Amino acid sequence: MANIDAKEYKEKTSSTKTRLSWLWSEYSVIIAFVIIFIASAILSPRFLDMNNQLNILMQVSIIGIIAMGMTVVMLSGGIDLSVGSVLALAGVISVLALNASGSILVGIFTALLVGSFAGFLNGLMVAKGRIASFIATLGMMAAARSIALYIADGGSVSGEVAGFTAISNSDLWIFDVPVIIFLIMTAGVYVLMHKTRFGRYVYALGSNEKAALLSAIRVDRIKIGVYTLIGSLVGIAAVIETSRLSSISSSSSGSQYELDAIAAVIIGGTRMTGGRGKIIGTLFGVLILGILNNMMNLMNVSPYLQGFVKGLIIIIAVVFQKRE
């Protein structure tokens, strides 16, 4: 009887550990979000203020849109370091097109076109040129920033069309328009990745590229599509960034956005090797970064240390992924 009881106890213990392991594996980012949210509420009474909560959503909207595209890229086994520079380039050219045409639609279309084209070029270099995504997008990062600086003479470019600032400074009910755009883009990428053939192919590519090729998946087309997608989302982010103050800086706009986007994706549980991750995880990863930034500001932490915190979070997240 004693042996039977001991065996049953071991089985129950093993079952409990398995369930807890599965719970942590699947929902660790949500658990982390809840813990950080509660800790922030305790540390600062101002944190729970509704205006502060809405401000957090507004602050993460641009990085959130970029992070959705970065998730797709990293799920495919790649990475895009050029997003910040491409945002600056798309913003500069779109403002020039806006001023020349006097049309807000032309400005928006130009930003989408520039972002998509830059992403397409990245995809071509990775898929057809067989260049590692790190190197290809690093080159695009330098090139895009350089072109933006040249066009704007190293300074800022301001919009001259009334109404352009309404894109980022309008609201619907209690939510700012950029927040609504972010949530719509999140829903769109979620459907793309979890409900379409393209999404299944991206997961297959990230899991095993050779197996994907043997399964008759057009790997090159998927890679080009992935980078074009993130380029398009960067174009949307550029419109929001530019319309906020109706201007864009060729030198500082988009600076370190790639770090924030990659941090959000990794915190959200997407593996850097590709093939595993969720769009919902990235959403919570973006929110966690937003809360941490907000708390550091509320607690008067030096802005020079905020990059250190983000880097530390990336390292910790990767360590946990390795342990899994």
Side-chain angles (χ1 to χ4, degrees):
M1 288 291 293
N3 289 336
I4 294 175
D5 290 342
K7 185 177 180 181
E8 289 179 352
Y9 174 77
K10 287 181 179 179
E11 289 178 350
K12 288 181 180 179
T13 303
S14 177
S15 177
T16 301
K17 287 183 178 179
T18 301
R19 289 176 181 175
L20 289 174
S21 178
W22 175 85
L23 185 67
W24 176 255
S25 176
E26 294 295 321
Y27 300 103
S28 58
V29 65
I30 299 177
I31 296 170
F33 170 79
V34 172
I35 293 172
I36 292 172
F37 189 92
I38 294 172
S40 299
I42 294 172
L43 289 171
S44 176
R46 290 181 293 169
F47 174 75
L48 290 177
D49 184 78
M50 179 59 71
N51 289 329
N52 185 59
Q53 295 295 309
L54 294 174
N55 180 57
I56 292 174
L57 289 175
M58 179 63 182
Q59 293 299 320
V60 303
S61 58
I62 293 176
I63 293 299
I65 292 171
I66 297 172
M68 291 304 147
M70 189 68 76
T71 305
V72 180
V73 171
M74 292 177 66
L75 282 172
S76 72
I79 198 167
D80 191 344
L81 301 178
S82 67
V83 291
S85 297
V86 171
L87 182 144
L89 177 61
V92 167
I93 295 178
S94 67
V95 170
L96 294 178
L98 172 76
N99 293 339
S101 65
S103 170
I104 295 175
L105 289 177
V106 169
I108 294 173
F109 178 76
T110 301
L112 291 173
L113 184 63
V114 172
S116 299
F117 183 67
F120 177 74
L121 289 179
N122 281 333
L124 278 181
M125 288 188 286
V126 173
K128 300 297 185 181
R130 300 290 185 264
I131 302 173
S133 60
F134 181 90
I135 301 300
T137 59
L138 186 65
M140 178 61 74
M141 178 177 73
R145 181 69 68 179
S146 180
I147 295 171
L149 288 167
Y150 176 77
I151 294 174
D153 290 327
S156 299
V157 179
S158 299
E160 300 171 356
V161 177
F164 183 60
T165 56
I167 297 174
S168 288
N169 298 294
S170 300
D171 56 67
L172 184 62
W173 191 41
I174 62 173
F175 296 105
D176 294 305
V177 169
V179 176
I180 295 173
I181 295 174
F182 165 46
L183 295 177
I184 291 172
M185 292 299 104
T186 300
V189 176
Y190 175 85
V191 171
L192 179 69
M193 294 305 297
H194 296 285
K195 303 296 181 181
T196 69
R197 182 182 299 177
F198 176 83
R200 292 193 295 271
Y201 286 173
V202 170
Y203 275 99
L205 173 61
S207 297
N208 192 322
E209 184 172 339
K210 290 184 178 179
L213 278 168
L214 294 173
S215 300
I217 295 175
R218 303 294 294 270
V219 170
D220 287 355
R221 290 187 180 182
I222 298 299
K223 287 182 178 180
I224 292 172
V226 160
Y227 286 95
T228 303
L229 173 64
I230 190 174
S232 301
L233 292 173
V234 169
I236 294 172
V239 172
I240 296 174
E241 175 97 351
T242 305
S243 67
R244 183 174 293 178
L245 297 173
S246 194
S247 66
I248 190 84
S249 171
S250 61
S251 59
S252 62
S253 292
S255 177
Q256 295 191 352
Y257 279 15
E258 57 280 347
L259 173 63
D260 290 342
I262 292 170
V265 175
I266 294 175
I267 291 169
T270 298
R271 292 188 180 277
M272 293 198 70
T273 51
R276 182 178 175 184
K278 296 179 179 178
I279 299 301
I280 297 300
T282 298
L283 173 62
F284 280 97
V286 169
L287 294 176
I288 287 173
L289 275 184
I291 291 174
L292 289 174
N293 285 333
N294 182 256
M295 279 307 300
M296 285 189 285
N297 289 331
L298 290 177
M299 297 176 70
N300 296 318
V301 175
S302 171
Y304 300 115
L305 289 176
Q306 294 186 13
F308 168 77
V309 173
K310 292 173 187 175
L312 187 63
I313 290 170
I314 293 175
I315 294 171
I316 293 172
V318 171
V319 168
F320 273 105
Q321 287 183 5
K322 291 285 186 182
R323 291 179 64 183
E324 292 176 10

